[in-house]
Amino acid sequence: MTASHCVEGVSDFTVYHPSKPSNRFEVTVAKRCPHRDLAVLDHAIPASDYFELEAAAQSVAVGAAVTAFGYPGFGPGDKMNVRGGSVTSLPVKSGVHLVEVSQELAQGISGGPIVDGHDGVVGIVHKGGSKEARQLAISIGVL
């Protein structure tokens, strides 16, 4: 999964392992929904080279502690960016359920997961950063 705007204009591309940049893998956009800003990716990456996350077992609530993960401004040798915060609201925009969070979601972290205290995904980062008024993720329920 990723944000649709992260793969806009491409149908297949190469990704590489963040801590082993020589490990490169072909990825294909299997499904895309620009309105919901979600894209499903297809790949043949060995299970030993990625960590699979599950959707949260319960709906997230305002005030819940959450953590966002991603690679803003990533370059070889950079580590994953981890940002803790909490859910500040659960807005709906154009019929799409969102999760607004307190932590800044820097540009480049789009498409990354926001997880709850049980490591369940509650949202996919949609937009944020210092120039945005709100820090938003697409609710995992939209998927």
Side-chain angles (χ1 to χ4, degrees):
M1 286 303 312
T2 192
S4 179
H5 74 266
C6 292
V7 294
E8 191 172 326
V10 298
S11 58
D12 55 275
F13 52 95
T14 302
V15 297
Y16 58 95
H17 193 286
S19 61
K20 299 181 242 173
S22 61
N23 291 10
R24 296 173 186 262
F25 308 98
E26 298 303 313
V27 177
T28 302
V29 178
K31 301 245 185 225
R32 174 192 326 250
C33 181
H35 175 72
R36 291 174 181 86
D37 196 24
L38 290 173
V40 177
L41 306 177
D42 190 22
H43 63 83
I45 301 172
S48 60
D49 283 318
Y50 71 92
F51 183 75
E52 191 168 342
L53 298 171
E54 299 290 329
Q58 298 178 14
S59 297
V60 69
V62 172
V66 291
T67 306
F69 296 91
Y71 295 95
F74 183 77
D78 286 352
K79 300 227 185 278
M80 182 183 302
N81 192 274
V82 180
R83 297 182 179 210
S86 62
V87 175
T88 58
S89 73
L90 299 167
V92 178
K93 183 176 179 184
S94 299
V96 179
H97 292 266
L98 304 169
V99 178
E100 183 175 6
V101 295
S102 62
Q103 64 267 47
E104 185 176 305
L105 303 174
Q107 291 196 2
I109 201 171
S110 292
I114 295 185
V115 302
D116 63 14
H118 303 287
D119 295 328
V121 178
V122 299
I124 306 296
V125 177
H126 170 57
K127 71 177 186 174
S130 60
K131 295 181 182 180
E132 294 288 337
R134 302 173 86 178
Q135 312 300 310
L136 298 168
I138 306 299
S139 174
I140 196 66
V142 173
L143 179 61

